[in-house]
Amino acid sequence: MEFEVDWGQSGRTLLNAGDIWVIPAGQRCSALVRGDTMSYCQIAIPDRAIDTTPLVPRINHWDPLIHQLVEKLHTVARLLKDSAAETFRLLVADSYSAAPPRRKERCRRTLYAATRSLVVAYLEDGLDSQITLESLARLADMSVSNFITAFRAAFHTTPYQFLLDRRIDRAKTLLLATKQSITDIGTSVGFSTPNHFATAFRRRVGVSPREYRASR
């Protein structure tokens, strides 16, 4: 790969799977790859997401955590994707800034009993819909990062795992108490595809939805 940048020496370098470039806003760079085909993922992070703290530019940097998070963002369900995106934002702000940002934290970092009840009711009412971390944080009147921390402290799990447990519990009830098809049950508790439902159910229960229904 031949590369040219504004902030350092240009030249040639070998490519490795998972290489990361950190390109601050306003900086120029270009690259030319010869030979084998290269695919890449580009993620743009708004200044406001990292408190406009200047980033340190890097080329061919290796960060396995960022690599894994990018893969998660591409494949996982919406609520888990929001959680991974928030982790990604905090990682970039903390690890690639010229100086660690001073975040504006809201005073409250605890889910009070009334708020916990409200969040649980919201999750249970929305089992068949797409629920985002932003909507949950707004409901609790907290920032997303504070909400994640407060939720884990209150329920000893993540919002995604909590919602997944509720969906599986509802699915178990429907499998035993109704004659709905397994596909319809999966859809009614928020799984986008029958395969996703079957995989998640087996991981939680140890058997497939069909086997669970037949064994009771």
Side-chain angles (χ1 to χ4, degrees):
M1 179 180 69
E2 300 175 1
F3 68 94
E4 182 178 357
V5 298
D6 275 348
W7 62 83
Q9 293 183 343
S10 300
R12 293 186 178 185
T13 183
L14 294 176
L15 290 172
N16 296 294
D19 281 351
I20 294 170
W21 287 30
V22 180
I23 307 169
Q27 299 283 2
R28 188 186 64 84
C29 73
S30 61
L32 175 64
V33 178
R34 299 183 183 275
D36 294 339
T37 300
M38 184 193 75
S39 59
Y40 68 94
C41 172
Q42 178 175 316
I43 297 179
I45 305 176
D47 285 346
R48 64 181 180 276
I50 53 175
D51 296 334
T52 64
T53 304
L55 298 182
V56 177
R58 304 192 184 194
I59 291 177
N60 292 89
H61 177 63
W62 173 241
D63 189 321
L65 181 54
I66 285 185
H67 195 190
Q68 293 173 21
L69 284 170
V70 170
E71 290 182 331
K72 292 287 186 185
L73 289 171
H74 179 64
T75 59
V76 299
R78 177 63 184 272
L79 190 59
L80 185 57
K81 182 178 296 186
D82 291 342
S83 181
E86 176 65 9
T87 302
F88 182 86
R89 182 189 72 79
L90 294 175
L91 175 64
V92 170
D94 287 342
S95 301
Y96 296 91
S97 298
R102 296 193 304 180
R103 299 193 190 96
K104 298 177 180 178
E105 298 287 353
R106 296 185 186 180
C107 295
R108 189 165 62 83
R109 303 182 187 181
T110 302
L111 287 178
Y112 299 130
T115 305
R116 290 199 300 269
S117 298
L118 190 63
V119 169
V120 169
Y122 181 83
L123 287 170
E124 292 183 340
D125 288 344
L127 291 181
D128 60 343
S129 60
Q130 291 289 339
I131 298 176
T132 67
L133 278 174
E134 284 80 5
S135 64
L136 292 172
R138 282 196 301 270
L139 190 66
D141 192 26
M142 303 173 75
S143 68
V144 171
S145 58
N146 278 356
F147 175 78
I148 293 173
T149 301
F151 191 96
R152 183 182 289 276
F155 296 101
H156 309 291
T157 187
T158 66
Y160 173 76
Q161 294 298 332
F162 185 93
L163 179 61
L164 186 57
D165 286 340
R166 287 295 193 275
R167 283 174 167 165
I168 295 299
D169 287 344
R170 176 74 63 82
K172 290 165 67 175
T173 298
L174 293 175
L175 285 168
L176 299 181
T178 74
K179 294 183 178 181
Q180 286 182 263
S181 70
I182 292 175
T183 297
D184 287 344
I185 290 175
T187 300
S188 70
V189 296
F191 290 95
S192 56
T193 67
N195 185 60
H196 184 202
F197 173 48
T199 300
F201 192 94
R202 181 180 289 277
R203 286 176 178 171
R204 277 294 193 280
V205 184
V207 296
S208 70
R210 190 177 303 279
E211 291 169 334
Y212 182 84
R213 170 175 270 177
S215 66
R216 297 300 191 276

